[in-house]
Amino acid sequence: LDEAIDRVGKMIGMAIDWTRLETFLPVTDDLQLRRSALASSFLAALELARRGRLDIAQDAPFAPIRLKVAA
């Protein structure tokens, strides 16, 4: 989780506008690793939002989760 917080924290600094959560996942063909990375990245995003570093949005149930640097 700490690695995910570092990774998402660094990458969100590069994002100027709303960016889909999937953008912050490491590139891999391993489905199990991808699912694990998605879960840890989502938890990292929640933690960074709690710290006030980013905003999280989702337009509807099951819609993509989007992130951006907190205003």
Side-chain angles (χ1 to χ4, degrees), residues 12 17-22 24 41-42 45-46 48-50 53-70:
I12 196 68
D17 203 6
W18 288 104
T19 305
R20 290 175 62 142
L21 176 63
E22 292 84 4
F24 302 102
S41 294
F42 181 61
L46 290 174
L48 291 168
R50 186 185 71 78
R53 292 188 51 203
L54 63 84
D55 294 325
I56 301 175
Q58 185 178 31
D59 296 328
F62 304 104
I65 296 170
R66 298 173 296 124
L67 313 172
K68 77 171 192 171
V69 175

Side-chain angles (χ1 to χ4, degrees), residues 5 9-11 14-17 19 21-22 26-27 30 32 35-36 38-39 44 50 52 54 61-64 67 71:
I5 290 171
K10 288 175 186 171
M11 293 181 79
M14 295 183 278
I16 295 172
D17 203 6
T19 305
L21 176 63
E22 292 84 4
V27 177
D30 183 338
Q32 186 173 1
R35 287 179 181 164
S36 175
L38 178 60
R50 186 185 71 78
L54 63 84
F62 304 104
L67 313 172

